[in-house]
């Protein structure tokens, strides 16, 4: 998000300083900046998501009980769905709050009039808070196989009677 915010700030500044296509400066300006600048943030996002997805799937399949492996996979995709809903809610909140009063709309139709970079910085801040929360939870998490958990026994293998050993 930081890379996206920096690139967006640069793109908007270039659009306002160097108008193209004979359009009047400051009005409906098309940025002369190359679209290849988006490649940087897309590569960073792709690499981070690739590592995250592999880690999440590995974690789910190792830490869920054997009889819940398929649930682990569906839980993974439910997480994607939930994050999509939450991002839609975040966009609605930002659009509603920045559209009122004298504040400029961060998510305006005209990207040159909006402040999309502020939205990227907001997302970055939320990701930092999420990282802090993750580190706190990871510190207290007990991994399966660390000796702190109970043994998983299928119901059909459970003994029906117990003998007292003297």
């Amino acid at each position: 998000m930081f890379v996206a915010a920096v690139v967006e700030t640069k793109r908007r500044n270039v659009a306002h300083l160097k108008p193209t296509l004979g359009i009047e400066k400051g009005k409906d300006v098309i940025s002369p900046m190359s679209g290849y600048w988006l490649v940087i943030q897309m590569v960073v996002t792709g690499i981070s998501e690739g590592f995250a997805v592999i880690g999440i799937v590995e974690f789910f399949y190792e830490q869920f009980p054997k009889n819940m492996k398929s649930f682990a996979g569906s839980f993974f995709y439910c997480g994607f769905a939930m994050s999509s809903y939450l991002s839609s809610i975040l966009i609605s909140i930002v659009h509603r709050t920045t559209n009122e009063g004298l504040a400029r709309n961060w998510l305006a139709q005209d990207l040159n009039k909006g402040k999309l970079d502020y939205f990227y910085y907001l997302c970055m801040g939320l990701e930092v808070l999420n990282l802090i929360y993750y580190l706190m939870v990871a510190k207290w998490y007990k991994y399966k196989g660390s000796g702190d958990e109970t043994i998983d026994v299928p119901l059909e293998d459970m003994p029906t009677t117990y003998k007292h050993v003297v």
Side-chain angles (χ1 to χ4, degrees), residues 33-60:
M33 193 169 152
S34 173
Y36 288 117
W37 279 92
L38 296 174
V39 171
I40 298 168
Q41 67 196 43
M42 295 301 161
V43 166
V44 170
T45 301
I47 290 171
S48 66
E49 284 185 9
F51 282 117
V53 166
I54 292 168
I56 291 169
V57 169
E58 182 77 19
F59 175 77
F60 282 170

Side-chain angles (χ1 to χ4, degrees), residues 66-84:
K66 284 188 178 189
N67 57 352
M68 294 183 72
K69 298 285 186 193
S70 62
F71 179 75
S74 63
F75 189 69
F76 173 70
Y77 289 109
C78 286
F80 272 122
M82 185 59 79
S83 65
S84 294

